[in-house]
Amino acid sequence: MEAKYFPIQIEEKWSKIWADKELARPDSEDYFSQIIPPPNVTGTLHMGHSFQYAIMDFYTRYHHMNQKSSYWQVGTDHAGIATQMVVENNLRNQGKSKDDYGRDKFVDEVWKWKEFSEDKITSQMKRLGITVDWDKYRFTLDDNYYQGVIKAFVELYRKEKIYRGYRLVNWDPALKTAVSDLEVVRQEKDGLIWHIAYPIADSDESLAVATTRPETMFGDMAVAVNPKDNRYKNFIGKFVDLPFVGRKIPVIGDEYVDMKFGTGCLKITPGHDFNDYEIGKKYALHEVEGVVHTSNNLEDFAPINIFTDEAFSNDMVPEPFANLDRFKVRKTVLEELKNKGLLVKEEKHHISVPRGERSNIVIEPKLSFQWYVKTQEMAQKANDAVNNGEVVFHPGNWVKTYFNWMDNIQDWCISRQIWWGHRIPAWYDDEGSVYVGFDEAEVRTHYQLDDRKLTQEEDVLDTWFSSSLWSFGSLGWPEESKLEKYFPTSLLVTGFDIIFFWVARMMMMSLEFTGKVPFKDVYVTGLIRDENGQKMSKSKGNIIDPIDLIYGIDLEDLVTKRTANLMQEGLAEKIERKTRKQFPNGIESYGTDALRMTFFSLATHTKDISFELGRLKGYRNFCNKIWNAARFINNYPKVSDEFVAKNDSDKWIEDEFNKVSVQIKKNIEEYRLDFAMNEVYEFFWGKFCDRYIEECKASGETSNLHPMLKKLLTLMHPFAPFITEEVNELIFNDGSLMDL
């Protein structure tokens, strides 16, 4: 053995071996299986990926070593909006846009990026030594996977569980597509609220309406007051003249109105506010010849849209407010209200601004035709599976979070107005009739159509629709080959931030299409943050590439990486100073085992996990301790493969080993790798090295050092696979630790 432990050469050697290794145990009827949360093909892996992959690799190795046929499905996600944004930004840097290419050629460009990003991601995975069968690799736009996605859509549609509707959605004006509630980030900030006088029709009176969005007043269809509010109850049933527009809108009484908010009078704009949309539906507000009426017939409901896809005012808005950006509309409206004496006052008000998670642009509630999945029935089946224990969350407190969303679930908008993704399998004729099928030929046969012209839907499916099928689609569904042995999967390791996006939806879809839950245990991890508790992101410049930590951090390269592509001017210099302070030695090499053990030690049941470089250095030192202890033992001849206690020290270490083995097994099965890692560290360093080896040296009785080292290498292998495998080969040379 070399005098010093050099992880890089050893790890590269074993990474290549494991990349070609299959973990199947054909004779075992017991299995362990899991699916990888497929990373987006938007660039490279980050610390969060590496953290979860370390945990997944741990359990794959652990169960394989316990004689189970272990299978870990690997693959990547096409990530519709995110990947298209990356490619569009790349084109923008070249002075081009996707429209310069057209749909087909642009999609070709995205495929090129996919190949580039995928190569980087898979090489990172292999370098981390993950134990997957690379021959079974899947991508969510693969031909076979695509067929499964189309099958799911068509079957749901023909079961009347998918429909197309004209409804209010979260609209991202930068991306020009609908996004889900889960892709909207609320920004809390100090803002303003304006009190605007709305004149009562045929009267000298007016109502002061309080609003934070005066620019939407052109879409107003009512003014709402609380019927218990003595200030306004006499106005209910009257009409107001909407300023600038002349539209007569009713004053309605509804207990939804908070009498203490603002003036107690709310403008109701169903086409640009989700709460107003529900009020508008309740009263079926609709305009007839300049007058808005209420109705008992929901089909009469006709909200007014005043913005384009780019969030500019449209032709429903009069001059001088037409064809302006929405924030310019606000400025102009306030100026004109002042001129007309209708702006009563403005005051400071704390507001919550919705921003697109991807674009950081203010989201605009907007009416549009979209495709939806009816979710309530499917959600109930998924909830039943949790309630009866078929699916268990670890830690258990995440069940409450899961139910908080599932119990209030809304129909799921699954269409996106982008080009990269699974194009929705729907066709329209010239009259606007819609036909859904597997392809155009099947549509014509199924609907017994003539040779009329058909045009396919332009929209693609929400990425989360295709990834909701991942738990069984990645295993070959609708074919049943791997499903028969490895499904339902044993474990899902995932972050708390996608319980709604992914976990719940996989449960709904799996029960719908297979009649089974997709997984038995869900291990919910926290979110890796930097040493200051901040979420790692490119805009903050605090991302660290896990491969940098493994190979060694070149300070100049790291500074460049951390300050590149920053969204905030002036931040680069601050981050450079911080980086140089964090890494004063310029180059630090840690290795994968040290990184893995750091992750395990941080795998607490907390929501936020602070990544500490000091802890990483500590586990690098632990690897050195393992290496040096093995070198020392290797100086003695191996007497026996079996541990046979010959003195009190032997009996003590054997007893301690048996106790710690039981405790570690308990921690592992309770998904407390932080406790297990601590037990390993304390036993090996404190009891085995500092006491037992020293007592063996003092007594001269060293015959049990080799057998105890072998036991420890086997115990520690899932925690630190590279160094344990290398030591085992150099000293014992009796085959892989995983297969013994």
Side-chain angles (χ1 to χ4, degrees), residues 34-54:
Q34 61 183 338
I35 52 169
I36 201 168
N40 297 341
V41 286
T42 50
T44 59
L45 299 182
H46 53 63
M47 294 290 277
H49 291 122
S50 301
F51 173 49
Q52 291 182 351
Y53 296 170

Side-chain angles (χ1 to χ4, degrees), residues 5 7 10-11 18 550 590-600 616 619-620 623 677 717-725:
Y5 175 56
I10 291 170
E11 291 178 358
W18 292 330
I550 292 170
Y590 298 100
T592 308
D593 283 331
L595 182 61
R596 283 172 66 103
M597 289 190 284
T598 301
F599 283 143
F600 299 145
L616 180 62
Y619 280 104
R620 179 188 59 187
C623 288
M677 186 67 248
H717 179 74
F719 296 92
F722 293 98
I723 190 171
T724 54
E725 198 76 282

